PDB file of all heavy atoms in Angstrom:
ATOM      1  N   VAL X 246      -9.149 -36.602  28.697  1.00  0.00           N
ATOM      2  CA  VAL X 246      -9.038 -37.398  29.919  1.00  0.00           C
ATOM      3  C   VAL X 246      -7.715 -37.106  30.616  1.00  0.00           C
ATOM      4  O   VAL X 246      -7.669 -36.845  31.825  1.00  0.00           O
ATOM      5  CB  VAL X 246      -9.169 -38.903  29.603  1.00  0.00           C
ATOM      6  CG1 VAL X 246      -8.711 -39.744  30.789  1.00  0.00           C
ATOM      7  CG2 VAL X 246     -10.596 -39.249  29.232  1.00  0.00           C
ATOM      8  N   LEU X 247      -6.619 -37.146  29.879  1.00  0.00           N
ATOM      9  CA  LEU X 247      -5.305 -36.897  30.480  1.00  0.00           C
ATOM     10  C   LEU X 247      -5.209 -35.475  31.024  1.00  0.00           C
ATOM     11  O   LEU X 247      -4.604 -35.246  32.081  1.00  0.00           O
ATOM     12  CB  LEU X 247      -4.203 -37.153  29.446  1.00  0.00           C
ATOM     13  CG  LEU X 247      -4.089 -38.604  28.959  1.00  0.00           C
ATOM     14  CD1 LEU X 247      -3.045 -38.705  27.850  1.00  0.00           C
ATOM     15  CD2 LEU X 247      -3.756 -39.548  30.094  1.00  0.00           C
ATOM     16  N   ARG X 248      -5.819 -34.526  30.332  1.00  0.00           N
ATOM     17  CA  ARG X 248      -5.815 -33.148  30.817  1.00  0.00           C
ATOM     18  C   ARG X 248      -6.558 -33.032  32.142  1.00  0.00           C
ATOM     19  O   ARG X 248      -6.125 -32.325  33.060  1.00  0.00           O
ATOM     20  CB  ARG X 248      -6.455 -32.236  29.761  1.00  0.00           C
ATOM     21  CG  ARG X 248      -6.353 -30.753  30.080  1.00  0.00           C
ATOM     22  CD  ARG X 248      -6.701 -29.908  28.864  1.00  0.00           C
ATOM     23  NE  ARG X 248      -8.027 -30.168  28.336  1.00  0.00           N
ATOM     24  CZ  ARG X 248      -8.281 -30.745  27.159  1.00  0.00           C
ATOM     25  NH1 ARG X 248      -7.290 -31.133  26.378  1.00  0.00           N
ATOM     26  NH2 ARG X 248      -9.508 -30.945  26.746  1.00  0.00           N
ATOM     27  N   GLU X 249      -7.683 -33.735  32.271  1.00  0.00           N
ATOM     28  CA  GLU X 249      -8.433 -33.705  33.528  1.00  0.00           C
ATOM     29  C   GLU X 249      -7.657 -34.394  34.649  1.00  0.00           C
ATOM     30  O   GLU X 249      -7.629 -33.913  35.786  1.00  0.00           O
ATOM     31  CB  GLU X 249      -9.797 -34.372  33.357  1.00  0.00           C
ATOM     32  CG  GLU X 249     -10.636 -34.346  34.628  1.00  0.00           C
ATOM     33  CD  GLU X 249     -12.048 -34.865  34.433  1.00  0.00           C
ATOM     34  OE1 GLU X 249     -12.497 -34.963  33.274  1.00  0.00           O
ATOM     35  OE2 GLU X 249     -12.689 -35.199  35.446  1.00  0.00           O
ATOM     36  N   VAL X 250      -7.015 -35.504  34.352  1.00  0.00           N
ATOM     37  CA  VAL X 250      -6.267 -36.232  35.378  1.00  0.00           C
ATOM     38  C   VAL X 250      -5.125 -35.377  35.916  1.00  0.00           C
ATOM     39  O   VAL X 250      -4.888 -35.335  37.134  1.00  0.00           O
ATOM     40  CB  VAL X 250      -5.726 -37.562  34.807  1.00  0.00           C
ATOM     41  CG1 VAL X 250      -4.763 -38.217  35.788  1.00  0.00           C
ATOM     42  CG2 VAL X 250      -6.885 -38.511  34.481  1.00  0.00           C
ATOM     43  N   TRP X 251      -4.414 -34.689  35.023  1.00  0.00           N
ATOM     44  CA  TRP X 251      -3.242 -33.907  35.447  1.00  0.00           C
ATOM     45  C   TRP X 251      -3.582 -32.476  35.840  1.00  0.00           C
ATOM     46  O   TRP X 251      -2.733 -31.755  36.351  1.00  0.00           O
ATOM     47  CB  TRP X 251      -2.163 -33.937  34.369  1.00  0.00           C
ATOM     48  CG  TRP X 251      -1.171 -35.017  34.640  1.00  0.00           C
ATOM     49  CD1 TRP X 251       0.050 -34.883  35.253  1.00  0.00           C
ATOM     50  CD2 TRP X 251      -1.318 -36.411  34.380  1.00  0.00           C
ATOM     51  NE1 TRP X 251       0.643 -36.109  35.377  1.00  0.00           N
ATOM     52  CE2 TRP X 251      -0.161 -37.063  34.849  1.00  0.00           C
ATOM     53  CE3 TRP X 251      -2.322 -37.180  33.787  1.00  0.00           C
ATOM     54  CZ2 TRP X 251       0.019 -38.436  34.749  1.00  0.00           C
ATOM     55  CZ3 TRP X 251      -2.144 -38.552  33.684  1.00  0.00           C
ATOM     56  CH2 TRP X 251      -0.983 -39.162  34.165  1.00  0.00           C
ATOM     57  N   GLY X 252      -4.809 -32.056  35.602  1.00  0.00           N
ATOM     58  CA  GLY X 252      -5.231 -30.759  36.115  1.00  0.00           C
ATOM     59  C   GLY X 252      -4.570 -29.573  35.458  1.00  0.00           C
ATOM     60  O   GLY X 252      -4.364 -28.546  36.099  1.00  0.00           O
ATOM     61  N   GLY X 253      -4.229 -29.678  34.197  1.00  0.00           N
ATOM     62  CA  GLY X 253      -3.584 -28.573  33.501  1.00  0.00           C
ATOM     63  C   GLY X 253      -4.512 -27.923  32.501  1.00  0.00           C
ATOM     64  O   GLY X 253      -5.568 -28.459  32.156  1.00  0.00           O
ATOM     65  N   ASP X 254      -4.122 -26.750  32.034  1.00  0.00           N
ATOM     66  CA  ASP X 254      -4.894 -26.056  31.007  1.00  0.00           C
ATOM     67  C   ASP X 254      -4.525 -26.536  29.608  1.00  0.00           C
ATOM     68  O   ASP X 254      -5.255 -26.289  28.651  1.00  0.00           O
ATOM     69  CB  ASP X 254      -4.657 -24.544  31.098  1.00  0.00           C
ATOM     70  CG  ASP X 254      -5.127 -23.970  32.420  1.00  0.00           C
ATOM     71  OD1 ASP X 254      -6.109 -24.506  32.972  1.00  0.00           O
ATOM     72  OD2 ASP X 254      -4.505 -23.008  32.904  1.00  0.00           O
ATOM     73  N   ARG X 255      -3.372 -27.195  29.500  1.00  0.00           N
ATOM     74  CA  ARG X 255      -2.925 -27.687  28.205  1.00  0.00           C
ATOM     75  C   ARG X 255      -2.868 -29.207  28.231  1.00  0.00           C
ATOM     76  O   ARG X 255      -2.827 -29.835  29.289  1.00  0.00           O
ATOM     77  CB  ARG X 255      -1.537 -27.117  27.871  1.00  0.00           C
ATOM     78  CG  ARG X 255      -1.539 -25.604  27.693  1.00  0.00           C
ATOM     79  CD  ARG X 255      -0.143 -25.078  27.451  1.00  0.00           C
ATOM     80  NE  ARG X 255       0.715 -25.239  28.615  1.00  0.00           N
ATOM     81  CZ  ARG X 255       1.979 -24.847  28.678  1.00  0.00           C
ATOM     82  NH1 ARG X 255       2.535 -24.294  27.634  1.00  0.00           N
ATOM     83  NH2 ARG X 255       2.677 -25.018  29.779  1.00  0.00           N
ATOM     84  N   ASP X 256      -2.864 -29.806  27.045  1.00  0.00           N
ATOM     85  CA  ASP X 256      -2.804 -31.258  26.950  1.00  0.00           C
ATOM     86  C   ASP X 256      -1.469 -31.764  27.473  1.00  0.00           C
ATOM     87  O   ASP X 256      -0.412 -31.206  27.141  1.00  0.00           O
ATOM     88  CB  ASP X 256      -2.968 -31.711  25.494  1.00  0.00           C
ATOM     89  CG  ASP X 256      -4.363 -31.420  24.960  1.00  0.00           C
ATOM     90  OD1 ASP X 256      -5.320 -31.465  25.751  1.00  0.00           O
ATOM     91  OD2 ASP X 256      -4.482 -31.142  23.751  1.00  0.00           O
ATOM     92  N   SER X 257      -1.485 -32.830  28.286  1.00  0.00           N
ATOM     93  CA  SER X 257      -0.235 -33.415  28.760  1.00  0.00           C
ATOM     94  C   SER X 257       0.547 -34.034  27.604  1.00  0.00           C
ATOM     95  O   SER X 257       1.778 -34.092  27.634  1.00  0.00           O
ATOM     96  CB  SER X 257      -0.518 -34.458  29.837  1.00  0.00           C
ATOM     97  OG  SER X 257      -1.348 -35.480  29.338  1.00  0.00           O
ATOM     98  N   VAL X 258      -0.167 -34.511  26.606  1.00  0.00           N
ATOM     99  CA  VAL X 258       0.438 -34.916  25.334  1.00  0.00           C
ATOM    100  C   VAL X 258      -0.338 -34.180  24.252  1.00  0.00           C
ATOM    101  O   VAL X 258      -1.553 -34.373  24.123  1.00  0.00           O
ATOM    102  CB  VAL X 258       0.361 -36.430  25.101  1.00  0.00           C
ATOM    103  CG1 VAL X 258       1.061 -36.794  23.781  1.00  0.00           C
ATOM    104  CG2 VAL X 258       0.983 -37.200  26.251  1.00  0.00           C
ATOM    105  N   PRO X 259       0.308 -33.319  23.454  1.00  0.00           N
ATOM    106  CA  PRO X 259      -0.421 -32.588  22.411  1.00  0.00           C
ATOM    107  C   PRO X 259      -1.171 -33.544  21.483  1.00  0.00           C
ATOM    108  O   PRO X 259      -0.673 -34.630  21.148  1.00  0.00           O
ATOM    109  CB  PRO X 259       0.688 -31.837  21.669  1.00  0.00           C
ATOM    110  CG  PRO X 259       1.793 -31.711  22.664  1.00  0.00           C
ATOM    111  CD  PRO X 259       1.728 -32.960  23.493  1.00  0.00           C
ATOM    112  N   THR X 260      -2.366 -33.130  21.074  1.00  0.00           N
ATOM    113  CA  THR X 260      -3.186 -34.022  20.254  1.00  0.00           C
ATOM    114  C   THR X 260      -2.520 -34.363  18.924  1.00  0.00           C
ATOM    115  O   THR X 260      -2.653 -35.488  18.436  1.00  0.00           O
ATOM    116  CB  THR X 260      -4.560 -33.390  19.993  1.00  0.00           C
ATOM    117  OG1 THR X 260      -4.382 -32.053  19.496  1.00  0.00           O
ATOM    118  CG2 THR X 260      -5.380 -33.335  21.275  1.00  0.00           C
ATOM    119  N   ASN X 261      -1.791 -33.412  18.334  1.00  0.00           N
ATOM    120  CA  ASN X 261      -1.128 -33.724  17.066  1.00  0.00           C
ATOM    121  C   ASN X 261      -0.031 -34.768  17.255  1.00  0.00           C
ATOM    122  O   ASN X 261       0.197 -35.621  16.394  1.00  0.00           O
ATOM    123  CB  ASN X 261      -0.584 -32.463  16.394  1.00  0.00           C
ATOM    124  CG  ASN X 261       0.431 -31.715  17.235  1.00  0.00           C
ATOM    125  OD1 ASN X 261       0.530 -31.915  18.439  1.00  0.00           O
ATOM    126  ND2 ASN X 261       1.201 -30.840  16.589  1.00  0.00           N
ATOM    127  N   LEU X 262       0.652 -34.718  18.433  1.00  0.00           N
ATOM    128  CA  LEU X 262       1.678 -35.720  18.710  1.00  0.00           C
ATOM    129  C   LEU X 262       1.042 -37.080  18.978  1.00  0.00           C
ATOM    130  O   LEU X 262       1.541 -38.108  18.499  1.00  0.00           O
ATOM    131  CB  LEU X 262       2.525 -35.286  19.899  1.00  0.00           C
ATOM    132  CG  LEU X 262       3.619 -36.260  20.346  1.00  0.00           C
ATOM    133  CD1 LEU X 262       4.584 -36.552  19.206  1.00  0.00           C
ATOM    134  CD2 LEU X 262       4.367 -35.711  21.555  1.00  0.00           C
ATOM    135  N   MET X 263      -0.057 -37.097  19.727  1.00  0.00           N
ATOM    136  CA  MET X 263      -0.758 -38.364  19.960  1.00  0.00           C
ATOM    137  C   MET X 263      -1.185 -38.989  18.631  1.00  0.00           C
ATOM    138  O   MET X 263      -1.053 -40.196  18.421  1.00  0.00           O
ATOM    139  CB  MET X 263      -1.977 -38.150  20.857  1.00  0.00           C
ATOM    140  CG  MET X 263      -1.650 -37.937  22.316  1.00  0.00           C
ATOM    141  SD  MET X 263      -3.129 -37.696  23.343  1.00  0.00           S
ATOM    142  CE  MET X 263      -3.923 -39.300  23.228  1.00  0.00           C
ATOM    143  N   ARG X 264      -1.713 -38.155  17.750  1.00  0.00           N
ATOM    144  CA  ARG X 264      -2.155 -38.640  16.440  1.00  0.00           C
ATOM    145  C   ARG X 264      -0.977 -39.209  15.647  1.00  0.00           C
ATOM    146  O   ARG X 264      -1.077 -40.277  15.041  1.00  0.00           O
ATOM    147  CB  ARG X 264      -2.804 -37.488  15.682  1.00  0.00           C
ATOM    148  CG  ARG X 264      -3.221 -37.813  14.253  1.00  0.00           C
ATOM    149  CD  ARG X 264      -4.366 -38.786  14.202  1.00  0.00           C
ATOM    150  NE  ARG X 264      -4.925 -38.847  12.847  1.00  0.00           N
ATOM    151  CZ  ARG X 264      -5.763 -39.781  12.427  1.00  0.00           C
ATOM    152  NH1 ARG X 264      -6.146 -40.734  13.263  1.00  0.00           N
ATOM    153  NH2 ARG X 264      -6.227 -39.783  11.205  1.00  0.00           N
ATOM    154  N   ALA X 265       0.149 -38.508  15.672  1.00  0.00           N
ATOM    155  CA  ALA X 265       1.329 -38.972  14.936  1.00  0.00           C
ATOM    156  C   ALA X 265       1.854 -40.283  15.504  1.00  0.00           C
ATOM    157  O   ALA X 265       2.218 -41.200  14.763  1.00  0.00           O
ATOM    158  CB  ALA X 265       2.423 -37.900  14.975  1.00  0.00           C
ATOM    159  N   LEU X 266       1.892 -40.388  16.831  1.00  0.00           N
ATOM    160  CA  LEU X 266       2.359 -41.620  17.460  1.00  0.00           C
ATOM    161  C   LEU X 266       1.440 -42.786  17.119  1.00  0.00           C
ATOM    162  O   LEU X 266       1.901 -43.900  16.820  1.00  0.00           O
ATOM    163  CB  LEU X 266       2.452 -41.437  18.973  1.00  0.00           C
ATOM    164  CG  LEU X 266       3.570 -40.521  19.476  1.00  0.00           C
ATOM    165  CD1 LEU X 266       3.401 -40.245  20.966  1.00  0.00           C
ATOM    166  CD2 LEU X 266       4.935 -41.153  19.218  1.00  0.00           C
ATOM    167  N   ALA X 267       0.129 -42.555  17.186  1.00  0.00           N
ATOM    168  CA  ALA X 267      -0.821 -43.618  16.862  1.00  0.00           C
ATOM    169  C   ALA X 267      -0.692 -44.034  15.399  1.00  0.00           C
ATOM    170  O   ALA X 267      -0.655 -45.234  15.073  1.00  0.00           O
ATOM    171  CB  ALA X 267      -2.244 -43.146  17.159  1.00  0.00           C
ATOM    172  N   TYR X 268      -0.596 -43.065  14.505  1.00  0.00           N
ATOM    173  CA  TYR X 268      -0.547 -43.344  13.073  1.00  0.00           C
ATOM    174  C   TYR X 268       0.719 -44.095  12.696  1.00  0.00           C
ATOM    175  O   TYR X 268       0.724 -44.896  11.754  1.00  0.00           O
ATOM    176  CB  TYR X 268      -0.640 -42.035  12.293  1.00  0.00           C
ATOM    177  CG  TYR X 268      -0.854 -42.230  10.816  1.00  0.00           C
ATOM    178  CD1 TYR X 268      -2.108 -42.587  10.313  1.00  0.00           C
ATOM    179  CD2 TYR X 268       0.193 -42.064   9.911  1.00  0.00           C
ATOM    180  CE1 TYR X 268      -2.308 -42.782   8.958  1.00  0.00           C
ATOM    181  CE2 TYR X 268      -0.001 -42.244   8.550  1.00  0.00           C
ATOM    182  CZ  TYR X 268      -1.249 -42.605   8.077  1.00  0.00           C
ATOM    183  OH  TYR X 268      -1.449 -42.794   6.737  1.00  0.00           O
ATOM    184  N   SER X 269       1.806 -43.862  13.438  1.00  0.00           N
ATOM    185  CA  SER X 269       3.070 -44.530  13.111  1.00  0.00           C
ATOM    186  C   SER X 269       3.254 -45.848  13.861  1.00  0.00           C
ATOM    187  O   SER X 269       4.349 -46.416  13.872  1.00  0.00           O
ATOM    188  CB  SER X 269       4.251 -43.590  13.405  1.00  0.00           C
ATOM    189  OG  SER X 269       4.236 -43.166  14.758  1.00  0.00           O
ATOM    190  N   GLY X 270       2.195 -46.343  14.494  1.00  0.00           N
ATOM    191  CA  GLY X 270       2.220 -47.700  15.034  1.00  0.00           C
ATOM    192  C   GLY X 270       2.598 -47.826  16.487  1.00  0.00           C
ATOM    193  O   GLY X 270       2.861 -48.936  16.961  1.00  0.00           O
ATOM    194  N   ASN X 271       2.633 -46.713  17.229  1.00  0.00           N
ATOM    195  CA  ASN X 271       2.951 -46.774  18.646  1.00  0.00           C
ATOM    196  C   ASN X 271       1.692 -47.068  19.462  1.00  0.00           C
ATOM    197  O   ASN X 271       0.586 -47.193  18.940  1.00  0.00           O
ATOM    198  CB  ASN X 271       3.595 -45.460  19.084  1.00  0.00           C
ATOM    199  CG  ASN X 271       4.970 -45.273  18.492  1.00  0.00           C
ATOM    200  OD1 ASN X 271       5.958 -45.806  18.988  1.00  0.00           O
ATOM    201  ND2 ASN X 271       5.051 -44.512  17.393  1.00  0.00           N
ATOM    202  N   TYR X 272       1.886 -47.165  20.767  1.00  0.00           N
ATOM    203  CA  TYR X 272       0.803 -47.551  21.680  1.00  0.00           C
ATOM    204  C   TYR X 272       0.044 -46.306  22.126  1.00  0.00           C
ATOM    205  O   TYR X 272       0.535 -45.522  22.951  1.00  0.00           O
ATOM    206  CB  TYR X 272       1.404 -48.276  22.883  1.00  0.00           C
ATOM    207  CG  TYR X 272       0.398 -48.823  23.873  1.00  0.00           C
ATOM    208  CD1 TYR X 272      -0.216 -50.056  23.648  1.00  0.00           C
ATOM    209  CD2 TYR X 272       0.088 -48.130  25.039  1.00  0.00           C
ATOM    210  CE1 TYR X 272      -1.122 -50.581  24.568  1.00  0.00           C
ATOM    211  CE2 TYR X 272      -0.807 -48.651  25.961  1.00  0.00           C
ATOM    212  CZ  TYR X 272      -1.416 -49.869  25.715  1.00  0.00           C
ATOM    213  OH  TYR X 272      -2.305 -50.387  26.633  1.00  0.00           O
ATOM    214  N   VAL X 273      -1.155 -46.120  21.590  1.00  0.00           N
ATOM    215  CA  VAL X 273      -2.026 -45.003  21.964  1.00  0.00           C
ATOM    216  C   VAL X 273      -3.428 -45.580  22.112  1.00  0.00           C
ATOM    217  O   VAL X 273      -4.120 -45.839  21.124  1.00  0.00           O
ATOM    218  CB  VAL X 273      -2.004 -43.875  20.905  1.00  0.00           C
ATOM    219  CG1 VAL X 273      -2.881 -42.709  21.349  1.00  0.00           C
ATOM    220  CG2 VAL X 273      -0.583 -43.401  20.649  1.00  0.00           C
ATOM    221  N   VAL X 274      -3.841 -45.824  23.349  1.00  0.00           N
ATOM    222  CA  VAL X 274      -5.095 -46.537  23.582  1.00  0.00           C
ATOM    223  C   VAL X 274      -5.992 -45.769  24.544  1.00  0.00           C
ATOM    224  O   VAL X 274      -5.539 -44.924  25.322  1.00  0.00           O
ATOM    225  CB  VAL X 274      -4.861 -47.961  24.141  1.00  0.00           C
ATOM    226  CG1 VAL X 274      -3.915 -48.752  23.243  1.00  0.00           C
ATOM    227  CG2 VAL X 274      -4.343 -47.908  25.573  1.00  0.00           C
ATOM    228  N   GLY X 275      -7.277 -46.096  24.458  1.00  0.00           N
ATOM    229  CA  GLY X 275      -8.246 -45.547  25.390  1.00  0.00           C
ATOM    230  C   GLY X 275      -8.871 -46.648  26.219  1.00  0.00           C
ATOM    231  O   GLY X 275      -9.038 -47.781  25.751  1.00  0.00           O
ATOM    232  N   LEU X 276      -9.185 -46.318  27.457  1.00  0.00           N
ATOM    233  CA  LEU X 276      -9.953 -47.189  28.338  1.00  0.00           C
ATOM    234  C   LEU X 276     -11.394 -46.707  28.245  1.00  0.00           C
ATOM    235  O   LEU X 276     -11.689 -45.553  28.578  1.00  0.00           O
ATOM    236  CB  LEU X 276      -9.425 -47.085  29.766  1.00  0.00           C
ATOM    237  CG  LEU X 276     -10.100 -47.945  30.828  1.00  0.00           C
ATOM    238  CD1 LEU X 276      -9.696 -49.400  30.682  1.00  0.00           C
ATOM    239  CD2 LEU X 276      -9.735 -47.440  32.223  1.00  0.00           C
ATOM    240  N   TYR X 277     -12.281 -47.571  27.802  1.00  0.00           N
ATOM    241  CA  TYR X 277     -13.655 -47.178  27.531  1.00  0.00           C
ATOM    242  C   TYR X 277     -14.612 -47.800  28.545  1.00  0.00           C
ATOM    243  O   TYR X 277     -14.497 -48.975  28.897  1.00  0.00           O
ATOM    244  CB  TYR X 277     -14.080 -47.650  26.136  1.00  0.00           C
ATOM    245  CG  TYR X 277     -13.508 -46.834  24.996  1.00  0.00           C
ATOM    246  CD1 TYR X 277     -12.208 -47.055  24.531  1.00  0.00           C
ATOM    247  CD2 TYR X 277     -14.281 -45.865  24.362  1.00  0.00           C
ATOM    248  CE1 TYR X 277     -11.697 -46.319  23.468  1.00  0.00           C
ATOM    249  CE2 TYR X 277     -13.771 -45.125  23.297  1.00  0.00           C
ATOM    250  CZ  TYR X 277     -12.487 -45.356  22.865  1.00  0.00           C
ATOM    251  OH  TYR X 277     -11.980 -44.630  21.815  1.00  0.00           O
ATOM    252  N   ASP X 278     -15.564 -46.992  28.985  1.00  0.00           N
ATOM    253  CA  ASP X 278     -16.746 -47.478  29.701  1.00  0.00           C
ATOM    254  C   ASP X 278     -17.902 -47.282  28.734  1.00  0.00           C
ATOM    255  O   ASP X 278     -18.434 -46.177  28.598  1.00  0.00           O
ATOM    256  CB  ASP X 278     -16.962 -46.684  30.986  1.00  0.00           C
ATOM    257  CG  ASP X 278     -18.149 -47.212  31.795  1.00  0.00           C
ATOM    258  OD1 ASP X 278     -18.831 -48.137  31.325  1.00  0.00           O
ATOM    259  OD2 ASP X 278     -18.398 -46.688  32.895  1.00  0.00           O
TER     260      ASP X 278
END
């Protein structure tokens, strides 16, 4: 989703970093329909 919003070929936040942030208790959330 973030990659589509920002229009880049790479992740705006690398998936491994997102995973690490989420696992260590930081705010990593999705808006779901």
